[in-house]
Amino acid sequence: MMLHQRQIIHSLINTVTCRQCNPVLNSRHNLTSGPRLQSTALFPHKILDNGVGDESAVPLPKEAKVVVCGGGVMGAAVAYHLAELGWGPQTVLIDQGRCGGGTTWHLSGLVGVFKPSLPQVNLAKSSVQLYKDMDARGLKTGWKQCGSLCIARTRDRMTVFRRMKALAVSWNIDCDLVTPGEAQKLCPLIAIDDIQGGLWIPGDGVGDPYQICLSLIAAARKGGMQVIENCAVQQILNHNGKVVAVGTNRGTVECQYFVNCGGFWARKIGKMSEPYVKVPLHACEHYYLHTKPIPGLDPMTPVVRDLDGYIYFRENEGCLLAGGFEPVAKPAFEDGTIPESSAERILPEDWDHFHILLEQMLHRVPSLGDAVLERLCNGPEAFSPDCKWIVGEAPEIQNYYVAAGMKTIGISAAGGVGRATAELIVNGSSSYDMYELDISRFLGLHNNRKFLRDRVREVPGLHYAIIYPFHEFQTGRNLRMSPIYPKLREAGAVFGQVMGYERPTWFDPDYASGNDSDTKNGLHPYRIAYTNTYGKPPWFEFVRNEYSACREQVGLSDYSSFTKIDFWSKGTEVVDSLQYLCSNDVNIPVGGIIHTGMQNRNGGYENDCSLARIAENHYMMIAPTIQQTRCKAWIQRHLPTDGSVSLSDVTSMYTAICVMGPFSRVFLSELTDTDLSPKSFPFFTFKELDVGLANGIRAMNITHTGELGYVLYIPNEFALHVYTQLIEVGQKYGIQHAGYYAMRALRVERFFAFWGQDLDTTTTPLECGRSWRVKFDKNMDFIGRNALMKQRDEGVKRMYVQLILQDHDHEIDLWPWGGEPIYRNGKYVGATTTTGYGFTFKKQVCLGFVQNFDDKGTTQVVTPEFVTTGSYEVDVAGMRFPAKVNLHSPNLPTQYPDKERLAYRATRDIIDDIVGKRSILPSCPGSSDTQTRT
């Protein structure tokens, strides 16, 4: 490392150390005196040689490329894969105690491949393959492929299993539905008098987390990796936003990368940098019941998960190990202080709290009542606020990675997450798509300790709960609210939450102010959205009415949660930077709007957004709500380092109200002096308006649904006034509130793709009918251009389609909710992404991707001819429905046809199919026509 960088690091250390108010640095942890975690008095493992000797005496190196913090199974997996990629000699693994001494020693050892999403499934599969490979190499893992049996007590649970069986084709998981009798044959221990059936997954198994941890470390050490035990991290130093060193109680090691694998310490470790890295985790109590040896217990007894009873059990060296996820969990270390010594981290037994699980265990395994109890283990486990793993590069500091929050199933995740993290560090990208697990999905509010304490009571129970479509959390609500929230609540809004923001999902007129009997103290009842079925949802009729208003009258919807970011510069730097970031041409006239992707180097979508050119060197970006942290971090890392381009997150400065429908133009004209005619204010353009008595309102002629209308970005102080004016004037036009579910129905029927639902980091514009939004000929080598040009030349291997189900009765049949397998001529070709009922089609509509597999399962080029010549079916929970396929956004019939609405189709292969319609489109002064710009 260069001398001047070492001087910077030394200066940083001195600066932080002399801050007397810093509690992290002022407290000195006595971490060398704790007992070894594998002592038999407290822990289930015999003392094992961890293969590293006494690493307390090993000196801390002065320099390394990567420092991995945490010697549990996750940190061991990251270090192992770094060594496999050739970075072993440049990697240091440090732990404040002994390796394997955090939560690894008391994990249940369950390894299941069925997870809530395909990215998690692929990571779990990678873990299983790793342990099989290690076994074959003679490394101890305790791996045993005994299979797993999930049992159902209710019809809805069996519906879940049938959906899982259908998904198994897409996810390549071997599984079978079984009857109660077949379930008992697979596991004679269980009582079956109250079960409906089960799901048998023969490829699942169990492993020994402690042995796996030590074996991974031993293998990594052979690859040159160093292990430093009894070494506590105290600070992570960064310069110019990048990791440069890690300070410990044994000195400082200069490095380029830091990986936080701290388990339930990860949040605390996140606070050891400036700025803080937010790792939203909170520990809760988690119980494991261990019996004495049971005579005759089959060592290949499958793992049994009685999900409706919240419990699981497995065979463990002739004994039974049982645990569960109670509906209401008990937070651990509520004051935020986690004991450093292993003995203090052992939580006391709480038989009263455990009783609900014990009762279900005895019900499902009657013979357990005759077994001799060895111990009840109460160990803390960390959960994230959305019950997903936390991985990826921290948005606050470059080259700072996190792999934590594995929620009791660390060994299921470790192999895959470890590999993905190592690939990100070494290659800059991973073979796994992990956007849904990325740490940048959170905001600062998610790291609030009181928020986490409340949420962790709810989250563990979701592990085994039935997660109905559009699931909503009950805790941590009413955090982010637009200024018009009280009015929406009075109007009967039923709320969902996204990024902490309360967003109306639908409106119930019977709950409108004055129409209900539950109003208390003049406040309208607060209602959280629910579905609670896999069939026709309870909100169907409400959404139908809202949909109709948006298409045939005027609908008003709250878009305030959308991510809003302003960019500006003194010169043209902002234009050049956005040209580099975006695949579309952003150099449009002032007042214009374009829709564009921000691609990664493989051509996938890192962001999908709209850009309005406010002034010559000023743009406003509108992006999906869930992108608020993520896209901002991506953009900041690709802006000039000289500060010539400024960025400001203005999400919380504006209330966004969308008014849409055939009467929206004449309706809004009554409230503003601005000419809203198509000639003056055409589609995909921006103007600053006065509305009512308010000024400075950014109005965009775009609705993100394909319907006519405007989104008004209103300074918050004017929001209530503007809303009131809109409602009052809108009465004669039949204005009606519309929630998110109606917006979703509109865009699905219009064949609009949304990031995070249809588009992700592996999806390219050429695969989803957006090649016309990629400007290869613009004077900028934008990110991903080479990958997209290669794909353009070679052809795409999947194609975005719209499928309209036939012979499906929405009243009685189960609905598609996303992830359903798609069949072409009887052969599996892909899966759905977003689904919804088409109120104009009067049929179920599914969006998804179609692939072309050869006889060996290898993907081939997909052409429009391939797509349109097939006969399609969609598998909904085991029942296949025929479907009609579309490649282009359809023109939907309406009572009030409009040239702009009819002309615009968001999803299409090439622009030529619409060029002939240019004459009917208005033009923006000084620009080419609207269609060629969007």
Side-chain angles (χ1 to χ4, degrees):
M1 189 173 288
M2 293 183 293
L3 179 61
H4 78 277
Q5 187 166 347
R6 286 185 171 155
Q7 291 172 337
I8 290 170
I9 294 169
H10 182 70
S11 175
L12 288 169
I13 293 171
N14 289 339
T15 300
V16 176
T17 304
C18 68
R19 291 179 183 166
Q20 300 301 316
C21 60
N22 190 326
V24 173
L25 299 181
N26 289 340
S27 61
R28 293 301 179 197
H29 309 304
N30 182 15
L31 301 173
T32 60
S33 59
R36 288 186 61 172
L37 292 183
Q38 52 271 42
S39 63
T40 55
L42 290 174
F43 308 101
H45 289 283
K46 297 177 181 178
I47 296 178
L48 298 175
D49 181 7
N50 63 9
V52 297
D54 183 8
E55 298 299 334
S56 303
V58 175
L60 184 73
K62 297 293 184 184
E63 197 172 331
K65 202 160 191 176
V66 186
V67 173
V68 179
C69 175
V73 69
M74 184 53 63
V78 172
Y80 169 85
H81 283 291
L82 284 169
E84 289 288 294
L85 292 173
W87 281 33
Q90 303 166 83
T91 300
V92 176
L93 173 68
I94 62 176
D95 193 278
Q96 66 174 350
R98 300 286 300 205
C99 291
T103 61
T104 296
W105 65 269
H106 66 70
L107 294 176
S108 61
L110 308 187
V111 184
V113 295
F114 244 123
K115 304 298 178 193
S117 67
L118 181 56
Q120 294 178 62
V121 166
N122 288 334
L123 292 167
K125 282 184 176 181
S126 180
S127 297
V128 171
Q129 190 58 52
L130 172 63
Y131 306 146
K132 289 181 177 179
D133 293 345
M134 291 171 65
D135 249 9
R137 290 160 51 192
L139 296 172
K140 294 181 179 180
T141 63
W143 168 251
K144 180 170 63 176
Q145 189 172 315
C146 56
S148 71
L149 175 65
C150 301
I151 57 179
R153 302 189 189 187
T154 66
R155 291 179 62 184
D156 275 6
R157 182 70 70 179
M158 280 306 299
T159 297
V160 172
F161 289 171
R162 286 194 292 271
R163 287 175 54 82
M164 291 171 69
K165 172 63 176 173
L167 276 171
V169 177
S170 305
W171 295 356
N172 194 26
I173 297 174
D174 182 19
C175 66
D176 291 293
L177 295 169
V178 296
T179 65
E182 291 169 334
Q184 194 170 51
K185 286 182 181 179
L186 290 165
C187 182
L189 293 174
I190 64 172
I192 61 171
D193 54 308
D194 63 338
I195 73 171
Q196 304 259 331
L199 185 72
W200 168 242
I201 310 170
D204 283 356
V206 297
D208 186 319
Y210 186 63
Q211 285 189 347
I212 289 171
C213 178
L214 297 189
S215 293
L216 288 169
I217 290 174
R221 290 185 75 246
K222 288 183 179 179
M225 184 267 295
Q226 293 186 68
V227 178
I228 311 294
E229 294 183 329
N230 297 315
C231 180
V233 169
Q234 294 178 337
Q235 54 185 317
I236 298 91
L237 302 170
N238 70 92
H239 181 64
N240 291 332
K242 291 185 178 181
V243 169
V244 294
V246 175
T248 77
N249 61 342
R250 294 173 58 181
T252 300
V253 54
E254 298 169 4
C255 61
Q256 299 174 34
Y257 300 89
F258 176 76
V259 189
N260 181 348
C261 300
F264 51 63
W265 283 285
R267 181 174 180 270
K268 178 179 178 180
I269 294 168
K271 292 185 174 183
M272 295 179 182
S273 61
E274 191 175 313
Y276 284 0
V277 169
K278 293 175 280 292
V279 188
L281 290 171
H282 198 293
C284 70
E285 298 186 2
H286 190 66
Y287 291 86
Y288 303 91
L289 184 145
H290 298 260
T291 72
K292 295 282 189 179
I294 298 174
L297 183 61
D298 185 351
M300 292 303 291
T301 297
V303 174
V304 175
R305 296 179 176 91
D306 182 357
L307 305 172
D308 298 309
Y310 331 119
I311 61 166
Y312 63 82
F313 66 87
R314 56 160 289 198
E315 185 275 342
N316 183 35
E317 298 183 353
C319 309
L320 277 182
L321 185 160
F325 298 90
E326 62 274 28
V328 181
K330 185 178 178 183
F333 315 128
E334 292 191 57
D335 62 356
T337 302
I338 302 174
E340 301 295 347
S341 77
S342 56
E344 290 178 309
R345 289 197 305 273
I346 301 300
L347 300 170
E349 300 170 350
D350 186 342
W351 284 96
D352 289 338
H353 187 76
F354 182 67
H355 180 265
I356 186 174
L357 298 179
L358 178 62
E359 188 176 49
Q360 296 299 321
M361 292 171 186
L362 292 170
H363 171 73
R364 186 57 55 213
V365 187
S367 60
L368 186 62
D370 299 324
V372 178
L373 173 69
E374 181 181 29
R375 66 183 179 277
L376 178 65
C377 173
N378 182 5
E381 285 289 348
F383 287 79
S384 71
D386 61 0
C387 203
K388 294 179 182 178
W389 307 333
I390 301 178
V391 299
E393 187 176 17
E396 297 89 352
I397 301 174
Q398 290 188 56
N399 298 342
Y400 185 126
Y401 289 85
V402 177
M406 302 306 156
K407 58 179 188 181
T408 80
I409 51 173
I411 60 171
S412 273
V417 172
R419 178 180 172 184
T421 303
E423 288 175 346
L424 286 170
I425 293 170
V426 175
N427 304 324
S429 63
S430 171
S431 54
Y432 300 91
D433 180 24
M434 301 194 299
Y435 79 88
E436 68 167 32
L437 306 173
D438 198 283
I439 188 171
S440 62
R441 69 185 186 269
F442 298 114
L443 293 168
L445 65 89
H446 295 114
N447 201 42
N448 178 289
R449 185 174 61 81
K450 292 181 179 179
F451 168 86
L452 289 169
R453 180 197 62 196
D454 291 345
R455 179 60 63 84
V456 83
R457 302 178 197 274
E458 178 182 5
V459 165
L462 300 178
H463 207 51
Y464 279 4
I466 295 178
I467 306 299
Y468 290 103
F470 307 144
H471 170 79
E472 292 288 340
F473 289 102
Q474 304 298 304
T475 54
R477 302 302 296 254
N478 278 4
L479 284 173
R480 300 177 77 194
M481 294 167 283
S482 73
I484 63 173
Y485 167 84
K487 291 294 184 181
L488 299 174
R489 187 164 162 172
E490 288 177 9
V494 181
F495 291 94
Q497 188 189 64
V498 58
M499 293 295 276
Y501 220 111
E502 296 294 340
R503 179 173 67 180
T505 54
W506 79 85
F507 287 81
D508 182 351
D510 292 335
Y511 258 69
S513 184
N515 293 345
D516 62 88
S517 58
D518 296 327
T519 301
K520 183 178 180 180
N521 299 326
L523 297 176
H524 193 272
Y526 172 64
R527 300 180 67 199
I528 295 176
Y530 61 94
T531 298
N532 295 346
T533 181
Y534 289 101
K536 179 184 175 182
W539 38 260
F540 181 82
E541 294 299 333
F542 302 123
V543 174
R544 182 207 296 271
N545 294 333
E546 295 167 20
Y547 170 97
S548 297
C550 294
R551 294 219 70 227
E552 308 299 347
Q553 295 172 292
V554 178
L556 182 150
S557 189
D558 183 7
Y559 281 15
S560 300
S561 67
F562 280 12
T563 297
K564 315 170 196 74
I565 295 178
D566 273 7
F567 305 90
W568 68 93
S569 62
K570 291 183 178 179
T572 62
E573 296 89 349
V574 67
V575 182
D576 296 336
S577 295
L578 289 174
Q579 289 285 54
Y580 174 64
L581 280 161
C582 300
S583 51
N584 206 340
D585 187 355
V586 308
N587 193 14
I588 56 176
V590 173
I593 300 173
I594 57 131
H595 197 101
T596 182
M598 292 183 178
Q599 322 307 139
N600 54 40
R601 66 182 186 182
N602 297 318
Y605 278 94
E606 289 295 332
N607 189 25
D608 183 46
C609 61
S610 297
L611 282 169
R613 195 165 192 177
I614 308 298
E616 194 67 28
N617 298 319
H618 183 186
Y619 290 81
M620 182 182 191
M621 183 186 79
I622 309 299
T625 304
I626 60 174
Q627 283 276 48
Q628 186 171 353
T629 301
R630 191 179 187 282
C631 75
K632 186 166 60 176
W634 170 264
I635 292 166
Q636 285 174 325
R637 288 171 183 174
H638 292 88
L639 289 179
T641 57
D642 61 5
S644 58
V645 177
S646 298
L647 173 155
S648 178
D649 185 347
V650 296
T651 300
S652 298
M653 292 174 59
Y654 291 93
T655 298
I657 298 177
C658 179
V659 289
M660 72 182 80
F663 302 145
S664 56
R665 182 182 294 123
V666 63
F667 153 59
L668 190 59
S669 294
E670 292 196 31
L671 288 165
T672 182
D673 295 330
T674 303
D675 182 2
L676 303 183
S677 66
K679 184 177 181 180
S680 175
F681 193 4
F683 201 31
F684 267 86
T685 58
F686 153 88
K687 282 185 181 294
E688 191 166 288
L689 306 181
D690 292 349
V691 176
L693 305 181
N695 71 306
I697 293 163
R698 297 178 177 181
M700 299 188 189
N701 191 340
I702 180 176
T703 64
H704 307 286
T705 64
E707 299 302 317
L708 294 179
Y710 309 87
V711 183
L712 308 177
Y713 292 93
I714 310 160
N716 282 338
E717 64 267 30
F718 297 135
L720 199 55
H721 168 77
V722 171
Y723 169 83
T724 303
Q725 292 289 299
L726 291 171
I727 293 297
E728 289 178 357
V729 175
Q731 295 303 311
K732 60 183 173 183
Y733 296 98
I735 194 168
Q736 185 172 333
H737 290 90
Y740 168 71
Y741 292 174
M743 301 303 102
R744 192 175 187 274
L746 288 162
R747 73 97 173 168
V748 169
E749 209 167 31
R750 284 282 187 173
F751 199 5
F752 281 29
F754 269 29
W755 195 92
Q757 298 177 41
D758 309 291
L759 311 178
D760 57 33
T761 57
T762 66
T763 311
T764 74
L766 280 63
E767 295 169 346
C768 58
R770 294 181 173 196
S771 56
W772 55 281
R773 283 181 176 161
V774 179
K775 302 302 187 288
F776 291 106
D777 57 350
K778 70 176 181 177
N779 189 26
M780 174 62 70
D781 186 16
F782 60 85
I783 301 173
R785 181 175 183 271
N786 291 338
L788 292 178
M789 290 185 69
K790 181 180 179 183
Q791 189 179 57
R792 182 188 64 180
D793 295 339
E794 296 178 353
V796 299
K797 293 189 176 181
R798 61 174 179 166
M799 196 168 285
Y800 190 49
V801 300
Q802 182 187 61
L803 294 159
I804 303 171
L805 298 196
Q806 312 296 309
D807 303 331
H808 183 281
D809 188 334
H810 73 277
E811 294 285 348
I812 60 175
D813 289 324
L814 293 173
W815 281 29
W817 293 101
E820 288 78 15
I822 301 170
Y823 291 85
R824 177 185 179 274
N825 298 340
K827 181 180 178 181
Y828 169 77
V829 290
T832 65
T833 51
T834 307
T835 62
Y837 186 78
F839 291 101
T840 297
F841 287 135
K842 293 182 170 56
K843 295 180 184 295
Q844 296 285 350
V845 181
C846 301
L847 309 182
F849 287 89
V850 165
Q851 296 173 282
N852 179 11
F853 297 101
D854 64 17
D855 294 338
K856 296 181 180 179
T858 304
T859 54
Q860 304 297 314
V861 171
V862 178
T863 64
E865 292 74 22
F866 173 83
V867 173
T868 56
T869 56
S871 175
Y872 289 88
E873 295 174 303
V874 175
D875 186 333
V876 181
M879 183 174 292
R880 294 190 189 181
F881 294 92
K884 176 186 174 184
V885 68
N886 286 331
L887 270 175
H888 307 282
S889 293
N891 284 326
L892 303 178
T894 174
Q895 297 179 49
Y896 306 98
D898 182 276
K899 292 179 180 180
E900 285 186 333
R901 178 161 64 171
L902 290 173
Y904 182 67
R905 290 192 284 173
T907 304
R908 58 184 189 266
D909 284 340
I910 54 176
I911 199 168
D912 294 340
D913 63 66
I914 205 164
V915 167
K917 298 178 182 176
R918 286 179 178 171
S919 60
I920 66 172
L921 295 174
S923 296
C924 181
S927 74
S928 58
D929 86 282
T930 306
Q931 287 303 307
T932 60
R933 289 187 293 106
T934 58

